[in-house]
Amino acid sequence: MTLPPEFQDWFARQGWSPHPHQLALLEAQGDTLLIAPTGGGKTLAGFLPSLVDLAGGHQGLHTLYVSPLKALTADIGRNLARPVADLGLPIRVEDRTGDTRSAARQRQRTDPPQILLTTPESLALMLSYPEAPRIFGNVRRVVLDELHALAENKRGDQLMLGLARLRTLSPGLTATGLSATVEDPEALAAFMGGARVINADPGPDPDIEMLATSRPAPWAGGGGHYAVPDVLDAIRGANTTIVFINTRAQAELFFQAIWAANEDNLPIGLHHGSLAREARARVEAAMAAGELRAVIATGSLDLGIDWGNVDLVIQVGAPKNVKRLVQRIGRANHRYNAPSRARIVPANRFEVIECVAALEAVRAHDLDGDARGPGPLDVLCQHILLTACAGPFEAGALYDEVRAAGPYRDLSRADFDDCVQFCATGGYALKAYDRWQRLVERGGLWGLRDPRAARDLRMNVGTIVEAEMLKVRWKRGGGLLGEVEEAFAATLVPGDTFLTGGQTVRYEGLRELTLEVSPNPHKQPKIAVFGGLKLATSTELSHRVLALIGDRAQWDGLPENTREWLALQAEMSALPRPGALVTESFRYDGRWHFALYGFAGRNALQTLGLLMTRTMEVAGLGPLGFLSTDYALLIWSVDSVTDPAPLLDRDGLREGLGAWLGGNAVMKRTFRNVAIVSGLIQRNMPGARRSGKQATFSSDILYDTLRRYDPDHLLLRVTATEAARGLVDFGRIEEMLDRSAALDHRMLDRVSPLAAPLMLEMGRVRIEGQGRMRLAEEEAEAMMRDAGLTLTDDPDLAAQAAGLDGMRAARPQPAATPRRRAGRGRPRTVPLAR
């Protein structure tokens, strides 16, 4: 296929010339994976073969475009409208996402457009209808945008199963994957089921560095509020800025802090996934129209949004992942020949080091990423049930089809049959219950036992299991503001205030699972705690940080105060370094503390803390509690740890993990998610939705029942795999031990410089009254002075540098016990269960 003259003329009228990779994709035969930098015209490259083909006319659905984000789908629709109109192409372009009106969805089932823009969840739903063979039977192309982002989680597995189904319905279709940030293109091509890789010219290196701030990064905390004046200055100096924040709660707080300091009344928006659809759409439209100077955003705007007037990206908080940073950088100067301009704001002193390491990785084009495991079986179970909703299937044919999906290419027939049997009966322990007998075999074909079950199964499509969310509306007027987690809503009483949608509101009451609120802009808010993305520093970035700390020759890129901090650590104790695991024991405030600098990620170090405290309890050391960060573990106890080697014995840790996981809440939480994805538990029911408490209660009963009567149940096996790899992350503990040939333990007579920020995190308590600033200053100064550090003579700066923002002091507190509920101002330290 070559570029027709009318398309050549269209490029010329825009002042453009087709990029070589766009023409290469136009001429390519078979499945392809295009790796091109942000702003390199990937999307147009993906659609160009479709537009050229559609210029000759086509009835029905021709091209299916799948993206990870609804915002990206809407943006693509806006961008496609231009060439379609300019070229006078006789085609319709429509979207099909969770935001699409029901009337439009119904019409698309009988009269689909030529190009349909959708998400993995909506595609799975459409494939479950009996009309699927007619809707998709003439599809010629599938475009998979931002494929690297989908491949990182179960949504990608679900999408690849859907692609395999599409190939069955429309033999001969071609798939095109698009991505900008891929550490292993061949592995991603294999994930697609096999594809030819096309690499575009990477373009110029980005203009990226740390944002110069008038105040130093604080010792602890994660909000980045100390840099608000500097971020505002940067916004003033740019046309349009996206300020990325890692979590929704932090985005709300940072947005409020920006507005409080926004004396120029610059138009600044807020965008994250828990805002109402209308609120997100207004911000997206305003950005596209150039009406905003900045938007505070989370991962909801990470991918592919093409706003050409964005000329600056600011990342507040360490990016945790080099690929994520590169992706976010690419939102600025979304043009092929223009370097993206980005600035990073570390949230605390440790993050300064991580940010410097991340900058070095970006400049070295060194991306991070973990190898993908085999396709999860709970996703396959959902796919089998949805396939049955579309019509009866033959097991052998479906098995062959599933193995055509990249993640399931090594699926054994035994595992597939186990999934079919689970879908049919629920498994040995549950087969006596009618509710789980959903499939039946008739004449060699498997189908739904009761066709009415299809409605319930379709209502529960998806692999994302988030915390239960409740809608927030104005009490008078009824306008939707957004959503908050059910667990947070349960803590509210009428009169409480919290932050949502960038506004402080007063909780008035709960009506039909909706929080009713009224405006209350003058009162200090609680914080709406969103789960959002659980970001953990990648293994590769952690290794870079460890190498940077352990090698003085690499310190030149660090701020002077950070270099002094590390130098003092080397003098008083030891620097963490590759090949050695540095640990410390010291006494402070009447208790012994043990610090381990593992650089293994928060989940892994939290798991290690749980296992070590169990062993310490047996050894009679009296552990009281612990906390973990991405880099370090801090345990406080009655007696000291003088020899950590027995606590870090690999066999003992693995044995302890098995004993601990058996009936632990982590396993039950993982099982709940697996049960929801697989269809064992249905969250959405006609006319109602199960609350989070109801779903958790049901899953706990099922988990205990299966462990007792069917310990080899399919979902228990999936749960064990998921827990070890995800929430527990035991593999990173083993990786930490593998790379640590030496154990360097130091007995100290005071808090070490590296441990001091951990002590501040451990001891945060809210201080009320007029003296809170003074107390914050005194407590922070005392803590740092004990570690041989000094802050500043300015009380306000001292509180800021301590990460307390004038609201919290750094006094270590006794760890909470299971019978005592932690106060609202306490950190998430983990008490030792007695």
Side-chain angles (χ1 to χ4, degrees):
M1 186 186 298
T2 59
L3 192 63
E6 61 268 31
F7 281 82
Q8 296 179 28
D9 293 342
W10 180 79
F11 272 95
R13 290 197 301 272
Q14 314 307 312
W16 302 342
S17 295
H19 297 310
H21 59 269
Q22 293 174 328
L23 296 177
L25 202 55
L26 182 66
E27 298 166 359
Q29 301 293 321
D31 295 346
T32 50
L33 171 62
L34 173 62
I35 310 297
T38 299
K42 289 190 305 300
T43 303
L44 182 56
F47 279 108
L48 198 54
S50 298
L51 296 178
V52 170
D53 200 15
L54 283 167
H58 182 87
Q59 293 299 315
L61 183 59
H62 177 284
T63 296
L64 193 64
Y65 166 90
V66 187
S67 77
L69 297 176
K70 291 181 285 187
L72 181 54
T73 299
D75 183 65
I76 294 299
R78 288 191 295 266
N79 292 335
L80 266 182
R82 180 178 173 184
V84 168
D86 290 351
L87 289 162
L89 300 178
I91 63 176
R92 292 183 0 243
V93 179
E94 297 180 4
D95 65 73
R96 173 58 163 86
T97 71
D99 288 346
T100 305
R101 304 292 181 185
S102 59
R105 298 185 197 180
Q106 290 295 327
R107 177 178 49 76
Q108 289 166 356
R109 290 172 61 180
T110 57
D111 181 24
Q114 282 82 9
I115 297 179
L116 185 64
L117 317 174
T118 190
T119 61
E121 294 77 18
S122 292
L123 174 60
L125 181 61
M126 289 187 290
L127 287 170
S128 75
Y129 288 110
E131 308 96 316
R134 179 179 54 80
I135 296 173
F136 298 105
N138 203 25
V139 170
R140 297 185 185 178
R141 298 191 68 245
V142 179
V143 180
L144 310 171
D145 203 359
E146 306 292 355
L147 184 59
H148 68 280
L150 289 165
E152 292 173 350
N153 52 56
K154 290 183 178 182
R155 298 181 76 203
D157 301 301
Q158 179 186 46
L159 176 57
M160 291 303 104
L161 289 170
L163 180 60
R165 177 109 283 249
L166 287 170
R167 294 188 191 280
T168 298
L169 298 178
S170 182
L173 69 78
T174 60
T176 299
L178 307 175
S179 189
T181 48
V182 180
E183 75 284 359
D184 189 346
E186 293 299 334
L188 189 60
F191 179 80
M192 290 178 59
R196 173 193 168 196
V197 178
I198 298 176
N199 287 294
D201 187 318
D205 287 340
D207 169 16
I208 177 172
E209 59 187 41
M210 302 271 274
L211 181 70
T213 59
S214 55
R215 292 179 172 181
W219 292 104
H225 293 191
Y226 76 98
V228 162
D230 310 289
V231 171
L232 266 176
D233 285 345
I235 291 172
R236 293 188 190 98
N239 292 321
T240 308
T241 302
I242 301 180
V243 181
F244 281 110
I245 313 286
N246 286 338
T247 69
R248 299 172 186 177
Q250 289 174 347
E252 289 274 1
L253 290 172
F254 198 85
F255 179 73
Q256 187 187 53
I258 281 283
W259 263 109
N262 186 14
E263 297 178 354
D264 298 335
N265 203 30
L266 300 175
I268 299 174
L270 175 67
H271 193 288
H272 62 67
S274 288
L275 294 177
R277 179 185 63 185
E278 293 78 11
R280 297 196 308 269
R282 284 196 300 270
V283 171
E284 292 162 17
M287 284 289 286
E291 297 170 357
L292 292 180
R293 293 294 299 278
V295 61
I296 313 299
T298 61
S300 61
L301 293 186
D302 266 6
L303 304 174
I305 306 299
D306 186 7
W307 290 321
N309 58 338
V310 173
D311 57 347
L312 177 64
V313 163
I314 298 176
Q315 166 70 41
V316 176
K320 304 297 180 186
N321 180 292
V322 180
K323 283 197 302 184
R324 182 181 299 112
L325 178 59
V326 170
Q327 190 71 44
R328 290 178 172 180
I329 291 169
R331 305 280 67 78
N333 290 339
H334 208 270
R335 297 185 299 278
Y336 192 34
N337 58 353
S340 300
R341 188 163 68 99
R343 300 293 180 262
I344 304 182
V345 179
N348 56 55
R349 193 65 59 92
F350 240 124
E351 287 195 357
V352 170
I353 304 172
E354 181 181 329
C355 288
V356 170
L359 288 175
E360 293 176 351
V362 171
R363 291 165 184 151
H365 305 283
D366 184 14
L367 301 181
D368 44 20
D370 296 325
R372 288 273 300 159
L377 298 183
D378 55 341
V379 178
L380 177 56
C381 290
Q382 183 182 123
H383 180 73
I384 291 171
L385 289 169
L386 292 175
T387 300
C389 290
F393 64 87
E394 195 273 319
L398 184 59
Y399 173 64
D400 292 339
E401 175 186 300
V402 166
R403 290 191 67 204
Y408 295 90
R409 57 185 173 273
D410 297 324
L411 176 72
S412 70
R413 183 59 191 260
D415 281 344
F416 176 82
D417 289 341
D418 281 351
C419 290
V420 173
Q421 286 300 317
F422 163 76
C423 293
T425 66
Y428 168 78
L430 303 177
K431 62 183 180 181
Y433 299 89
D434 290 343
R435 62 181 296 186
W436 289 301
Q437 296 199 11
R438 291 166 294 188
L439 299 186
V440 64
E441 189 177 19
R442 301 184 181 97
L445 297 179
W446 288 93
L448 291 179
R449 184 181 299 272
D450 182 353
R452 293 173 296 182
R455 176 190 59 180
D456 298 344
L457 292 169
R458 292 187 184 114
M459 290 181 66
N460 291 275
V461 169
T463 61
I464 303 173
V465 183
E466 295 183 338
E468 182 74 15
M469 305 298 287
L470 300 182
K471 296 186 182 302
V472 182
R473 292 185 182 274
W474 294 120
K475 184 174 183 179
R476 294 177 178 82
L480 182 63
L481 286 175
E483 298 175 318
V484 296
E485 288 183 354
E486 182 184 52
F488 172 76
T491 69
L492 299 174
V493 297
D496 280 347
T497 58
F498 63 96
L499 191 63
T500 187
Q503 305 178 66
T504 302
V505 297
R506 183 181 189 272
Y507 172 59
E508 301 293 348
L510 183 69
R511 181 191 295 269
E512 296 178 353
L513 297 181
T514 298
L515 272 69
E516 293 188 332
V517 300
S518 59
N520 198 331
H522 304 298
K523 191 171 181 182
Q524 182 74 25
K526 288 187 173 183
I527 303 170
V529 181
F530 302 103
L533 295 174
K534 300 297 189 293
L535 303 181
T537 303
S538 68
T539 300
E540 290 82 355
L541 187 51
S542 294
H543 289 176
R544 278 187 169 269
V545 172
L546 186 60
L548 176 59
I549 292 175
D551 184 1
R552 287 175 180 261
Q554 299 185 46
W555 290 6
D556 290 345
L558 297 173
E560 182 180 359
N561 54 17
T562 302
R563 295 198 301 268
E564 293 175 350
W565 177 43
L566 295 179
L568 189 57
Q569 171 70 19
E571 178 183 335
M572 291 182 57
S573 178
L575 285 170
R577 58 198 182 275
L581 180 60
V582 173
T583 60
E584 301 168 337
S585 290
F586 53 85
R587 191 171 178 82
Y588 182 82
D589 199 25
R591 281 186 240 151
W592 280 97
H593 296 77
F594 172 79
L596 177 147
Y597 303 103
F599 294 85
R602 186 181 302 269
N603 286 347
L605 292 178
Q606 176 158 309
T607 298
L608 182 61
L610 287 163
L611 300 178
M612 290 184 68
T613 51
R614 285 170 61 96
T615 306
M616 289 172 65
E617 184 75 27
V618 173
L621 298 179
L624 300 171
F626 72 92
L627 65 84
S628 63
T629 69
D630 277 318
Y631 305 118
L633 167 68
L634 181 69
I635 302 175
W636 48 100
S637 58
V638 176
D639 294 323
S640 66
V641 175
T642 57
D643 180 11
L647 304 178
L648 295 168
D649 175 71
R650 187 190 299 261
D651 293 337
L653 290 173
R654 184 171 289 282
E655 182 180 345
L657 177 69
W660 172 68
L661 282 179
N664 192 269
V666 171
M667 286 288 277
K668 289 188 174 181
R669 176 183 170 189
T670 306
F671 176 80
R672 170 180 168 270
N673 294 346
V674 168
I676 290 173
V677 170
S678 67
L680 186 69
I681 295 176
Q682 295 180 342
R683 295 286 297 273
N684 298 307
M685 304 295 289
R689 177 178 171 88
R690 280 189 176 184
S691 71
K693 289 181 179 179
Q694 289 173 323
T696 300
F697 180 70
S698 299
S699 67
D700 285 355
I701 293 175
L702 286 169
Y703 177 75
D704 291 337
T705 300
L706 294 179
R707 283 193 66 220
R708 183 174 181 180
Y709 297 106
D710 194 0
D712 196 39
H713 191 277
L714 172 71
L715 295 195
L716 291 185
R717 302 202 310 267
V718 175
T719 298
T721 300
E722 297 254 324
R725 187 172 56 193
L727 292 171
V728 175
D729 215 355
F730 191 76
R732 289 194 69 175
I733 297 177
E734 294 186 311
E735 187 272 339
M736 177 194 76
L737 297 175
D738 288 340
R739 59 175 160 82
S740 303
L743 179 59
D744 185 355
H745 181 63
R746 304 296 176 103
M747 297 295 297
L748 307 178
D749 60 0
R750 68 180 70 181
V751 180
S752 74
L754 284 188
L758 301 175
M759 301 292 289
L760 289 172
E761 291 283 357
M762 166 189 164
R764 284 187 176 184
V765 295
R766 190 171 181 90
I767 297 175
E768 303 291 352
Q770 295 180 354
R772 63 186 182 182
M773 284 292 292
R774 179 178 173 185
L775 286 173
E777 173 200 354
E778 292 175 354
E779 293 289 349
E781 287 280 12
M783 171 70 69
M784 292 301 162
R785 191 165 51 247
D786 284 346
L789 302 170
T790 58
L791 296 180
T792 174
D793 293 331
D794 186 319
D796 182 51
L797 290 185
Q800 289 282 352
L804 309 176
D805 293 332
M807 296 174 61
R808 294 171 176 174
R811 185 193 307 275
Q813 297 294 314
T817 65
R819 295 193 181 94
R820 177 182 175 187
R821 183 177 178 180
R824 291 175 179 170
R826 295 187 187 277
R828 292 185 176 181
T829 55
V830 182
L832 180 66
R834 298 288 183 181

